[in-house]
Amino acid sequence: MFAQIKELENLSIEEQDSLMEKNSHCMHRDKYSTAQRKLFYPFNRTEFVSLISFQDTISEFSSHLPVKKGILDSKMVKEEIRLSKADIDKLTDLFFNYGYISQKYGVIIDRMACYDPHNAILFFNEKRKVIAYVEICFDCLGMKFSSKKINTGENCTEKFSMLKDFFISKGIKFVSIDHTDDL
């Protein structure tokens, strides 16, 4: 063990950066079963989950989630897809079973300065009231949560791309500012 520690101390900045970049990539681990993932908030309090895309027609600077006091403003919603149980299983697997290869040497967190969200994951109760949400800006690689209790796991390098692919695979076409003319 001493030899390994000594070797790490002798790494150049470039070698440490390279290891940090490599370790920041996503790796799938069977850390949580389907049943365990369903116990995480808000999945444990949800009647159903929807993916949406939205366009704020009022603000010219930044979009905002079209939810007030738990009510979804359907006039701002471009697309809404209600997830099946199998879809929710895939989503929770993506959140909780994909993470960093390693956190040794640190990890890279990608973020842009902008934040102009156009997508969200909405968690509804049985009366179709939004009880929680994850607001997403795929262009800026940013998320905002309705509660600090919401956890989406480790933000490994490819996670936003995998989440974007998940939205597209479910039929959401508007996942980027670049796609505004497609709808």
Side-chain angles (χ1 to χ4, degrees):
M1 178 134 171
F2 179 76
Q4 288 178 331
I5 292 171
K6 197 73 166 160
E7 286 176 25
L8 298 178
E9 291 174 359
N10 294 329
L11 291 176
S12 69
I13 300 271
E14 291 82 15
E15 289 169 318
Q16 290 176 21
D17 286 348
S18 177
L19 286 170
M20 187 168 56
E21 184 177 334
K22 178 184 174 204
N23 290 338
S24 297
H25 289 280
C26 291
M27 177 178 166
H28 185 267
R29 295 181 219 95
D30 288 323
K31 188 172 181 179
Y32 299 105
S33 69
T34 301
Q36 289 171 318
R37 295 190 312 260
K38 288 180 183 176
L39 295 176
F40 288 113
Y41 179 82
F43 295 97
N44 62 346
R45 306 215 187 240
T46 301
E47 185 66 29
F48 66 95
V49 179
S50 287
L51 306 179
I52 67 166
S53 65
F54 58 90
Q55 181 72 41
D56 185 347
T57 55
I58 298 168
S59 173
E60 54 185 275
F61 298 112
S62 177
S63 287
H64 71 279
L65 187 68
V67 174
K68 287 197 188 210
K69 297 182 180 179
I71 306 300
L72 178 63
D73 180 356
S74 59
K75 290 179 276 177
M76 288 176 44
V77 175
K78 291 174 100 45
E79 304 162 292
E80 181 179 2
I81 304 293
R82 188 169 170 170
L83 297 181
S84 69
K85 289 182 189 230
D87 295 333
I88 293 170
D89 184 46
K90 288 178 188 173
L91 179 63
T92 59
D93 187 53
L94 173 61
F95 281 164
F96 306 118
N97 283 332
Y98 280 89
Y100 301 116
I101 290 175
S102 171
Q103 291 191 32
K104 196 174 192 178
Y105 311 109
V107 294
I108 297 170
I109 299 174
D110 289 333
R111 284 235 168 77
M112 310 284 184
C114 67
Y115 189 74
D116 189 14
H118 294 283
N119 297 95
I121 302 167
L122 303 179
F123 301 88
F124 292 91
N125 67 12
E126 65 282 345
K127 296 179 181 175
R128 193 168 163 73
K129 184 172 183 178
V130 177
I131 60 167
Y133 63 81
V134 176
E135 183 183 76
I136 305 166
C137 180
F138 286 115
D139 293 319
C140 305
L141 307 177
M143 290 185 190
K144 288 188 180 174
F145 307 100
S146 60
S147 167
K148 290 181 181 182
K149 296 188 289 183
I150 298 175
N151 175 12
T152 57
E154 297 174 345
N155 191 20
C156 49
T157 307
E158 301 89 1
K159 193 172 258 189
F160 262 90
S161 178
M162 290 188 290
L163 186 57
K164 185 176 184 178
D165 290 345
F166 178 76
F167 268 71
I168 292 168
S169 76
K170 296 293 116 206
I172 301 289
K173 296 180 186 98
F174 184 60
V175 291
S176 170
I177 267 300
D178 298 332
H179 292 93
T180 47
D181 295 332
D182 294 347
L183 296 173

